[in-house]
Amino acid sequence: MRVLIVEDEASLARQLWASFSEAGYAVDTAPGGQQADLLVHSETYDAILLDLGLPGVDGLTLLRRWRRSGIATPVLILTARGSWHEKVEGIDGGADDYVAKPFRVEEVLARIRALIRRTAGIVQSELRCGALSLDTSAARVTLDGAVVKLTSHEYRVLAYLMHHRRRVVSRTELTEHIYAQDFDRDSNTVEVFIARLRRKLGAEFIQTVRGLGYRIAGEDI
């Protein structure tokens, strides 16, 4: 899964980047409105964390612009504590949720996870398919109750497929959602990650649909 963090305070942006990366996300950051606008119109994200108090183009203007142009990516806004009018304007402007500063990063992570699940039509934090389980809150994968050790990219591939397990996901789509912008992206490596996952989980869990892509096979629980 891939997120964009739009925050002009450098130390906070670094903290959020580190926390989201550690939680298994591909993360891009933007320090201002213009860069964020360019990224949102040129890249693909599963969620956006947006500070409203940005230099140049403010966050609320950006949000309204994105929604008018049809960009439906879930957005969690950051507002100053006590600025209830910013919260109202943000929600009315198209935000999906908000967090007031100062905040705990754990809460932000939890809210982003919830937004991504909601967008995918999932209500529980634990995604299950037969004996395979992926706990989004702990970034942990188990098979028949035993923990399966995955690399960060293997986890991202599996997490994206599990979030969209009722449809076929193309190799291009996977590439767009498992790498950050500054990573040398090669869609051929997706096949490598799929092969590794099959060796660790069993070939029956990830099905290849010829000419289209991949999907999680098996019974949802």
Side-chain angles (χ1 to χ4, degrees):
M1 312 303 283
R2 187 179 179 193
V3 299
L4 172 64
I5 296 171
V6 187
E7 171 59 59
D8 65 312
E9 185 181 335
S11 60
L12 178 56
R14 286 193 298 269
Q15 180 187 7
L16 289 167
W17 179 91
S19 297
F20 273 86
S21 297
E22 186 178 353
Y25 294 89
V27 187
D28 289 337
T29 59
Q34 291 183 340
Q35 184 178 354
D37 199 30
L38 178 62
L39 286 172
V40 168
H41 281 91
S42 61
E43 302 289 337
T44 304
Y45 297 101
D46 296 291
I48 300 170
L49 184 60
L50 176 66
D51 184 17
L52 294 185
L54 297 172
V57 183
D58 66 89
L60 186 57
T61 298
L62 276 179
L63 178 58
R64 288 170 173 164
R65 183 183 300 172
W66 295 339
R67 294 310 190 220
R68 284 197 302 268
S69 64
I71 294 172
T73 307
V75 173
L76 173 66
I77 58 173
L78 303 178
T79 69
R81 183 174 297 278
S83 298
W84 62 267
H85 63 282
E86 283 192 344
K87 301 171 187 177
V88 173
E89 289 180 342
I91 297 297
D92 286 342
D96 299 274
D97 199 357
Y98 68 85
V99 170
K101 293 182 178 181
F103 53 77
R104 294 190 65 87
V105 174
E106 292 82 0
E107 179 184 359
V108 176
L109 283 165
R111 289 179 179 273
I112 287 291
R113 288 194 299 267
L115 289 181
I116 293 175
R117 291 197 307 269
R118 190 185 309 159
T119 302
I122 298 170
V123 296
Q124 296 181 330
S125 62
E126 185 178 21
L127 313 182
R128 295 184 59 87
C129 185
L132 179 63
S133 173
L134 188 148
D135 185 345
T136 60
S137 61
R140 183 179 64 179
V141 175
T142 58
L143 182 62
D144 286 323
V147 175
V148 181
K149 293 184 178 180
L150 302 179
T151 67
S152 60
H153 285 97
E154 290 167 359
Y155 176 81
R156 291 174 193 172
V157 169
L158 181 63
Y160 194 82
L161 289 174
M162 290 286 281
H163 275 86
H164 302 276
R165 63 187 181 273
R166 293 179 179 85
R167 66 178 179 85
V168 178
V169 177
S170 71
R171 187 171 63 178
T172 298
E173 182 179 346
L174 275 173
T175 302
E176 291 174 342
H177 287 268
I178 67 171
Y179 293 122
Q181 184 200 25
D182 58 357
F183 200 92
D184 185 14
R185 286 173 275 185
D186 181 0
S187 63
N188 292 323
T189 59
V190 167
E191 295 181 356
V192 176
F193 299 139
I194 293 291
R196 291 177 182 173
L197 285 169
R198 284 171 170 159
R199 286 197 295 270
K200 293 180 179 182
L201 304 175
E204 69 274 12
F205 283 105
I206 301 178
Q207 182 180 60
T208 298
V209 180
R210 188 175 298 275
L212 295 177
Y214 308 97
R215 68 182 172 196
I216 292 292
E219 182 181 357
D220 295 349
I221 296 179

